[in-house]
Amino acid sequence: MRKVVKFGGSSLANAAQFKKVGEIIRANQTRRYVVPSAPGKRHINDTKVTDMLYHCYELAEKGKKFLPLLNEIKARYEEIIDGLQLELSLDKEFEVIAEQFLKKAGRDYAASRGEYLNGIVMSSYLGITFIDAAEVIFFDKQGNLDLTRTEDVLAKRLENANRAVIPGFYGMGADGKIHTFSRGGSDITGSIVAKAAKADMYENWTDVSGFLIADPRIIHNPQPIETITYRELRELSYMGATVLHEDAIFPVRKDGIPINIRNTNAPQDPGTMIVESTCRQSKYTITGIAGKKGFASVHIEKEMMNAEIGFGRKVLQIFEDNEIPFEHMPSSIDTMTVLVDQSVFEEKEQAVISGIQRAVQPDHIQLESDFALLAVVGRGMARARGTAGRIFSALAHANVNVKMIDLGSSELNIIIGVKNEEFETAIQAIYDIFVKTQI
C-alpha cells in the first residue's frame, strides 16, 4: 500500500509543527510521498511566508531595498532548521533567490520559493529524496496544467524513488519559467502526485479534522462529516465550504483514489473520507449545509413566456455579453429569475436591464439585492420522505422568509434563497432540525 500525504501551511509553520508531521509520517510506512506547503502563520498576528515573498518581490520589482525582508524570511527557515537540529544551510538558495529577484524572475517564481525551501527542509528532516516540482509538473502555453506530460514524467521519477518530497503549488511553464497554481494549489499537487504514484490513498493534512456539517463560525461545535462523495463535495465547495481546493478532486477521482482529510494537531481523529461512491449510510439525512451572501436577483415577467421560443437563451445572452455569470435560474410559466453575484452585477445593471428590454420586451423587470443562497446537500435526501417539508417548517418556525427554492434534479441538493440578514438564522434552523433534534 502507498499513500501520498500533503501538509498545509499551518501544519508546517514552525519546528514544533514539523515534529508533529514527522511523527505522523514515521508512524505509517505506507506514507511514502510527501507534499509540503510553505510555512503558514505561527500565531494569529503572524504573516504567511508566501505573503512575505510576494511583498519582498514587489519591493525588488520597484527597485526598492528588499534584502532586509528576504533576510526575515531566511530567519523563519533558520528557526525551523535550528528547532529540528538539522545540519542544513539555505545560504546558497537565498543567494539564488536574491539574484532572481533582481532579474525580475516573476511573481510566480517568488511565491513558489516558500514551498521549494520547505521541501528541502522536509527532505533533510525525513532523510528522503527531494524532487523539485519544476522538474515534474508542467503547464501548457495557456497556463493550464499539462496533466498528460506531468503524469508521464512524474510517474517515471517516482518509480526510482521509494520515498520522496515534492513541493506543492508550482511547476514549470511552457516558457521555461516557474508557474504556480491558484492559492491552495498544494492540494492539487498532492492529487497529481497521488495519481502518478498510483496511490491507494491521498491524505490531506490540515488544521481541522475533516469537513464539518456546517460553518463553525455559525454553528457552535458542528458535527463532522465521516464520509462524503465527490458530487456532494462539489456542491458544498461551490457554495463556500473551503477545506480542500476543489480542483484537487479531478486527478484522483478519475483513478478512484479516495481522499482523507486529517488534522495534524489531532492525528487520532479519523477525519473525512472523500469517495466516488459509497453504500455507507449517512448518520444524518443531510451531509452538509453551506452558503454565501451577496447575490442579486433579476426577476423577469412576460405573459406567455413559455410559448416564446428562445426566450431563456436571449435573456442569458445579455448576461454573457456583459460578462456576468449566473448562479441559479428558477422559472415558471410567465416568470424567470436570474441570480447573480451582486458585486459584479451592480456596475452593469443598467446595461443588463436595457439589453433585456430590447431582446425580449418583458412586461416587467424587478431587481432585488442582498440575497443569500444556502445549499442543503445529502445523498440521503433522495430516499428520505418529507425532507423539503422539514426544511421549510424549520425556517418558518425561525421566522425566516424563503425568497427562492431550487430543487436539484438529482435530489442531491436543495438551494434556498433568503435575505442576507437571515442567513445565519436559516443555517442554524436547518442544522438544529436535522442534526440536533433529528426530527
Side-chain angles (χ1 to χ4, degrees):
M1 186 173 185
R2 63 179 70 185
K3 293 181 180 179
V4 171
V5 289
K6 177 263 175 180
F7 291 90
S10 61
S11 299
L12 300 169
N14 54 36
Q17 289 297 103
F18 253 85
K19 290 177 181 177
K20 291 180 184 178
V21 167
E23 290 175 3
I24 289 168
I25 295 170
R26 294 177 180 122
N28 189 329
Q29 290 302 306
T30 65
R31 293 173 177 141
R32 290 166 55 177
Y33 302 110
V34 184
V35 177
S37 296
K41 291 185 177 183
R42 296 163 294 186
H43 48 79
I44 194 168
N45 296 317
D46 201 11
T47 304
K48 297 178 181 179
V49 164
T50 300
D51 291 330
M52 294 175 75
L53 284 163
Y54 274 128
H55 186 210
C56 188
Y57 183 74
E58 286 172 6
L59 293 174
E61 202 171 30
K62 295 174 181 176
K64 297 182 179 180
K65 292 182 179 179
F66 67 91
L67 288 178
L69 181 53
L70 189 61
N71 286 331
E72 285 184 34
I73 297 169
K74 183 180 179 182
R76 286 281 295 269
Y77 285 98
E78 289 176 341
E79 183 181 284
I80 293 172
I81 291 168
D82 292 343
L84 298 176
Q85 298 180 321
L86 298 176
E87 292 184 5
L88 174 68
S89 172
L90 296 177
D91 288 351
K92 290 184 179 179
E93 300 294 344
F94 275 93
E95 287 175 10
V96 172
I97 292 171
E99 290 173 4
Q100 291 299 313
F101 276 24
L102 287 170
K103 293 178 180 178
K104 310 293 191 296
R107 282 173 55 83
D108 280 9
Y109 170 81
S112 72
R113 297 304 86 184
E115 276 75 11
Y116 172 76
L117 294 167
N118 233 19
I120 292 174
V121 175
M122 179 64 75
S123 171
S124 177
Y125 181 53
L126 297 175
I128 61 178
T129 303
F130 172 76
I131 299 175
D132 187 354
E135 299 174 358
V136 293
I137 292 179
F138 305 99
F139 297 86
D140 61 24
K141 292 179 180 179
Q142 287 71 45
N144 300 314
L145 174 68
D146 186 341
L147 188 57
T148 301
R149 182 186 177 196
T150 294
E151 188 176 357
D152 181 56
V153 174
L154 181 55
K156 289 176 181 176
R157 285 291 294 273
L158 296 181
E159 282 179 7
N160 299 315
N162 187 50
R163 304 172 69 81
V165 174
I166 307 97
F169 188 42
Y170 71 94
M172 182 64 69
D175 58 359
K177 297 180 179 179
I178 294 293
H179 188 86
T180 62
F181 294 102
S182 60
R183 278 296 180 98
S186 292
D187 291 341
I188 305 173
T189 304
S191 184
I192 294 167
V193 173
K195 179 177 174 62
K198 295 180 172 57
D200 299 284
M201 177 82 70
Y202 169 30
E203 291 182 344
N204 192 297
W205 292 79
T206 180
D207 54 6
V208 294
S209 296
F211 280 88
L212 301 173
I213 291 178
D215 191 334
R217 293 169 296 184
I218 299 173
I219 305 297
H220 176 67
N221 196 25
Q223 291 294 307
I225 300 172
E226 295 177 357
T227 304
I228 187 171
T229 64
Y230 288 119
R231 290 178 65 202
E232 291 173 309
L233 177 61
R234 283 280 291 164
E235 296 286 351
L236 291 172
S237 296
Y238 175 71
M239 291 302 291
T242 53
V243 172
L244 179 74
H245 195 301
E246 62 181 50
D247 289 345
I249 295 170
F250 299 108
V252 291
R253 183 177 185 178
K254 290 180 179 178
D255 284 18
I257 300 170
I259 303 173
N260 191 192
I261 306 296
R262 302 286 293 273
N263 189 344
T264 304
N265 302 313
Q268 72 282 356
D269 292 350
T272 298
M273 288 293 298
I274 306 171
V275 297
E276 175 63 34
S277 184
T278 178
C279 61
R280 292 185 180 182
Q281 300 295 320
S282 302
K283 187 176 181 180
Y284 309 103
T285 300
I286 65 171
T287 299
I289 315 162
K292 294 185 285 190
K293 294 181 179 180
F295 295 96
S297 70
V298 182
H299 182 73
I300 304 160
E301 295 181 13
K302 186 175 184 181
E303 191 172 347
M304 298 299 293
M305 175 194 298
N306 64 310
E308 189 172 327
I309 296 172
F311 187 94
R313 177 187 56 78
K314 293 174 185 176
V315 169
L316 293 181
Q317 185 66 53
I318 303 304
F319 287 92
E320 181 180 344
D321 291 344
N322 285 278
E323 298 182 332
I324 301 172
F326 76 94
E327 301 289 332
H328 291 279
M329 191 181 66
S331 62
S332 62
I333 297 174
D334 295 327
T335 65
M336 173 181 176
T337 301
V338 183
L339 282 100
V340 293
D341 184 316
Q342 185 170 326
S343 62
V344 176
F345 176 70
E346 282 180 339
E347 295 180 3
K348 302 176 180 180
E349 65 173 26
Q350 296 308 313
V352 171
I353 292 171
S354 60
I356 293 172
Q357 292 281 9
R358 289 192 298 269
V360 296
Q361 295 84 48
D363 298 330
H364 180 63
I365 298 178
Q366 180 180 342
L367 303 184
E368 194 166 351
S369 59
D370 300 323
F371 261 97
L373 295 178
L374 58 96
V376 184
V377 176
R379 60 188 181 278
M381 286 165 48
R383 60 177 175 273
R385 289 179 292 179
T387 301
R390 291 161 68 191
I391 291 172
F392 299 121
S393 292
L395 294 175
H397 185 72
N399 295 315
V400 174
N401 182 25
V402 176
K403 306 289 289 184
M404 186 211 77
I405 304 165
D406 189 0
L407 177 63
S409 59
S410 65
E411 297 187 68
L412 185 72
N413 69 327
I414 297 176
I415 307 294
I416 301 161
V418 300
K419 296 299 288 183
N420 278 349
E421 61 266 25
E422 295 181 327
F423 176 69
E424 289 82 4
T425 303
I427 288 182
Q428 183 73 63
I430 295 170
Y431 182 86
D432 287 350
I433 199 165
F434 282 103
V435 181
K436 278 193 174 181
T437 61
Q438 298 188 56
I439 296 174

